Amino acid sequence: MQFFRLRVLLGVLVLAPQVLTAQKMTLEWAEEARTKGWQSIEPIGQVDDRLYFLMSRSKAGLLEYTLLSYTTQLTDPQQKPVYVVRTGSAAVGGQETPSVFFSARTKKLHFVGNTVNPTTKAVRTLLNSFSFEGESLVKNKEIASFTYESGRAGQAGSNIVASFDSSLIALYLTVPSKRKEAEQLIVQVFTQDFEAPVWDRTVELPYASKDASLNNAVVDKDGNFYLLYEIKEAAEARAQGAAKYYKTIFAVTPSGDPFEYVVKLEGQEIESVGIGTDPTGNLLVSGFYGPKGASRNSSGLFSFTLNVQTREPGQRFEKLIPDLYAADIGNRKKYEYRLRKGFILGDDGTQLLLAEQYYYYVVTTYYPYGGSNSTYHYVYGPAAIVKLSGGQEVEWVRRVPKLQHTTDDGGVFSSYYGFLYQDNVVLVYNDDPDNLTVLEDARHNDLDQSRRMKQAAVMAAIVAPDGTLQKQLLQAYDPTLGVAIVPRLSQPINDTTHLVVARWRKDYRIGRLVVTE
């Protein structure tokens, strides 16, 4: 189950610049609560005077959800079961693992899932809504239904994405087909809290499923829906010098034919792209690229807007940025930059793009008398923050030195949680404590830091509006506390408070990051 897809968040933040000093951030931990045996804990947010987390676990074909809550001061832990669903085959009354959406406006938690009848090829979309105010669950409200002609709809999953202003919610799924056939895409757009359907369409994607990987989805305030795909280039084109992969944006609107906009750069490999909406409602596309070839080395940045009415790109920026890399970082051709998040500041189009160097590799050992063993390595290198002016000029590039190397864990403790506070970019992450004082790009070239990551501290990097960098130790390594945070599970409550989740072995720990004046 995944609550939130990793995506570019493009919001309008208009605040007076102010330098954030290191002494203004604290990390606080909650009272102990019973979290053993739960397989997942996800922050929900604040309802009235309590902070909520959703815990889930699967057992004997049943998926259970329970709310864990604290006061805003992280005291008085309470648990309340909210929803149980049987997953699996429709023949035994099961449904897919639901997507989850929380509405702060109406204080409701929604579970959306499909049931599929493989005989009639009918799919029903069911909504189960838990109300915090009434502490009640409205069960199995059918909000949509459709039939499919081919493919394996039983393997499809519903996904939810909200517009930036949360006025609209898009529910979408693809019906998996045979590898060489195109997939069906079903899009359903609702008002807040699934109160009323706005429009729905079923269309066919223009590429075979074996060649397409879905990266992200966005719905704008007018209900236009966009999917970002990575496509494997045809063999003929690759033989003539094309890059192995390219990006494409597939747009579905309330009326008119769907359209596709291909994102390619001549002679370059596009390595990471993010999409979001700008203040005018256009789609904003940003990403990194590098020279074509097997060894990726993204050193360029591009950005443009896409108008859904004209289907044409607007203002475009494309530039090589040597400052993305430091000369003394070894093995840099093995890294690629991945775009993590983006912000728009004010109405002039100034952007802050947050990225990160990433490297993944597998080491396989073959034994003399047969058999083998593979070790999966996840290496997350320095973060990079790029500030673009409204005129699409690079004002500054700030690299935040860090190195996170783990094995066989999917990189769950790596990367960072990033947010803005009064135009200061704040990154919160686990890292070797020795890197606390490293403020420049100079550092040793040591990729084998698995041991040090096991003793990582929780740190914060604060980048001011002028690009200057500070670092702060939020939590020193403590083997009894086990406070290695899971960055992807962090979530804002308001401008000054953020929920965090830490894990030590199989136990979870709940905390909050507070920025004080």
Side-chain angles (χ1 to χ4, degrees):
M1 180 184 63
Q2 186 176 16
F3 282 27
F4 310 105
R5 292 183 176 275
L6 188 63
R7 61 184 183 270
V8 173
L9 173 64
L10 294 163
V12 180
L13 300 170
V14 185
L15 297 169
Q18 174 182 327
V19 176
L20 179 65
T21 60
Q23 289 73 30
K24 292 185 178 180
M25 300 179 64
T26 57
L27 188 58
E28 303 170 352
W29 298 105
E31 294 180 1
E32 293 294 335
R34 183 179 176 83
T35 60
K36 293 182 179 179
W38 294 95
Q39 298 164 346
S40 175
I41 297 179
E42 305 272 359
I44 296 298
Q46 182 172 346
V47 178
D48 298 328
D49 60 346
R50 296 190 70 84
L51 305 176
Y52 283 88
F53 298 79
L54 186 66
M55 305 191 298
S56 65
R57 63 185 173 191
S58 181
K59 186 177 180 180
L62 295 178
L63 183 57
E64 303 177 38
Y65 292 95
T66 286
L67 282 172
L68 169 66
S69 68
Y70 297 88
T71 66
T72 55
Q73 301 303 313
L74 297 180
T75 60
D76 186 26
Q78 297 179 12
Q79 294 185 22
K80 179 179 180 59
V82 292
Y83 181 50
V84 178
V85 59
R86 181 177 295 279
T87 58
S89 172
V92 293
Q95 64 172 269
E96 66 174 21
T97 300
S99 294
V100 181
F101 178 77
F102 169 65
S103 172
R105 182 180 65 88
T106 57
K107 303 176 184 178
K108 290 182 179 180
L109 186 63
H110 303 286
F111 303 88
V112 182
N114 292 326
T115 62
V116 182
N117 188 321
T119 302
T120 62
K121 295 186 177 181
V123 180
R124 299 170 62 225
T125 303
L126 302 179
L127 176 69
N128 289 265
S129 300
F130 176 80
S131 171
F132 286 85
E133 291 185 332
E135 293 196 341
S136 59
L137 180 71
V138 176
K139 297 182 178 181
N140 294 333
K141 176 184 177 182
E142 183 176 308
I143 58 175
S145 63
F146 63 92
T147 58
Y148 62 99
E149 297 179 359
S150 62
R152 302 179 299 278
Q155 297 180 17
S158 294
N159 300 278
I160 296 173
V161 60
S163 61
F164 180 76
D165 61 0
S166 296
S167 61
L168 295 176
I169 302 168
L171 178 69
Y172 66 99
L173 63 95
T174 55
V175 179
S177 63
K178 296 180 180 179
R179 294 181 68 251
K180 296 184 179 182
E181 295 178 356
E183 294 180 321
Q184 282 183 286
L185 169 68
I186 295 94
V187 182
Q188 300 159 322
V189 177
F190 298 85
T191 56
Q192 294 184 62
D193 287 320
F194 303 92
E195 294 168 341
V198 178
W199 62 270
D200 66 271
R201 300 188 69 178
T202 299
V203 298
E204 187 175 277
L205 294 172
Y207 20 76
S209 60
K210 71 179 182 65
D211 297 328
S213 299
L214 179 61
N215 290 169
N216 200 2
V218 166
V219 61
D220 65 22
K221 60 182 178 59
D222 298 320
N224 302 304
F225 180 74
Y226 309 88
L227 288 175
L228 174 66
Y229 275 92
E230 181 175 79
I231 307 295
K232 185 177 180 180
E233 184 65 271
E236 298 80 9
R238 296 201 305 270
Q240 296 177 11
K244 188 176 181 180
Y245 295 95
Y246 64 91
K247 305 290 184 178
T248 187
I249 298 166
F250 187 72
V252 185
T253 61
S255 60
D257 295 332
F259 71 94
E260 180 184 21
Y261 184 83
V262 175
V263 184
K264 288 184 179 181
L265 295 176
E266 187 68 29
Q268 303 291 334
E269 186 98 29
I270 295 177
E271 294 168 358
S272 178
V273 175
I275 57 176
T277 53
D278 70 5
T280 64
N282 291 326
L283 187 73
L284 180 60
V285 184
S286 300
F288 290 91
Y289 66 91
K292 180 179 65 67
S295 296
R296 293 189 170 186
N297 179 15
S298 50
S299 55
L301 174 66
F302 72 92
S303 178
F304 65 90
T305 58
L306 181 64
N307 186 292
V308 70
Q309 279 77 34
T310 65
R311 304 186 179 186
E312 295 293 335
Q315 187 178 35
R316 188 180 187 94
F317 166 81
E318 181 182 325
K319 186 175 182 179
L320 291 174
I321 306 178
D323 293 341
L324 286 175
Y325 287 97
D328 59 342
I329 298 293
N331 299 312
R332 73 179 196 174
K333 289 187 178 180
K334 296 179 181 179
Y335 281 96
E336 63 180 89
Y337 265 103
R338 289 193 169 183
L339 192 65
R340 296 300 188 196
K341 187 176 291 188
F343 298 98
I344 297 177
L345 303 179
D347 296 327
D348 65 349
T350 300
Q351 299 179 51
L352 285 176
L353 301 179
L354 280 60
E356 183 175 37
Q357 281 182 283
Y358 174 75
Y359 177 36
Y360 164 79
Y361 65 98
V362 182
V363 176
T364 302
T365 302
Y366 296 92
Y367 301 111
Y369 301 102
S372 64
N373 179 65
S374 294
T375 302
Y376 299 86
H377 294 256
Y378 303 87
V379 185
Y380 292 75
I385 303 169
V386 182
K387 185 174 184 179
L388 298 179
S389 69
Q392 299 289 286
E393 293 294 329
V394 178
E395 292 192 8
W396 48 258
V397 177
R398 164 52 68 182
R399 286 166 45 86
V400 179
K402 69 176 180 64
L403 188 54
Q404 302 160 320
H405 179 194
T406 58
T407 58
D408 298 330
D409 69 342
V412 65
F413 299 111
S414 298
S415 194
Y416 57 80
Y417 170 57
F419 62 93
L420 282 189
Y421 178 75
Q422 296 185 348
D423 283 3
N424 297 270
V425 179
V426 182
L427 308 182
V428 182
Y429 56 95
N430 305 302
D431 199 10
D432 183 340
D434 290 346
N435 289 336
L436 177 62
T437 57
V438 179
L439 297 180
E440 302 299 332
D441 288 331
R443 57 162 302 129
H444 49 80
N445 175 29
D446 178 12
L447 291 182
D448 188 13
Q449 291 203 354
S450 299
R451 177 185 62 81
R452 294 180 182 178
M453 274 297 289
K454 292 179 181 178
Q455 299 180 0
V458 182
M459 293 195 283
I462 303 102
V463 180
D466 62 358
T468 56
L469 170 66
Q470 302 177 54
K471 283 188 176 182
Q472 179 187 354
L473 180 67
L474 295 177
Q475 176 70 59
Y477 169 73
D478 187 331
T480 61
L481 288 178
V483 289
I485 65 168
V486 183
R488 68 176 181 83
L489 293 184
S490 298
Q491 183 183 118
I493 299 176
N494 51 47
D495 291 341
T496 60
T497 307
H498 301 258
L499 295 178
V500 295
V501 175
R503 201 176 81 186
W504 179 245
R505 296 187 176 94
K506 294 185 178 181
D507 297 331
Y508 288 93
R509 191 170 179 85
I510 305 300
R512 66 176 188 172
L513 177 68
V514 180
V515 185
T516 56
E517 296 293 343

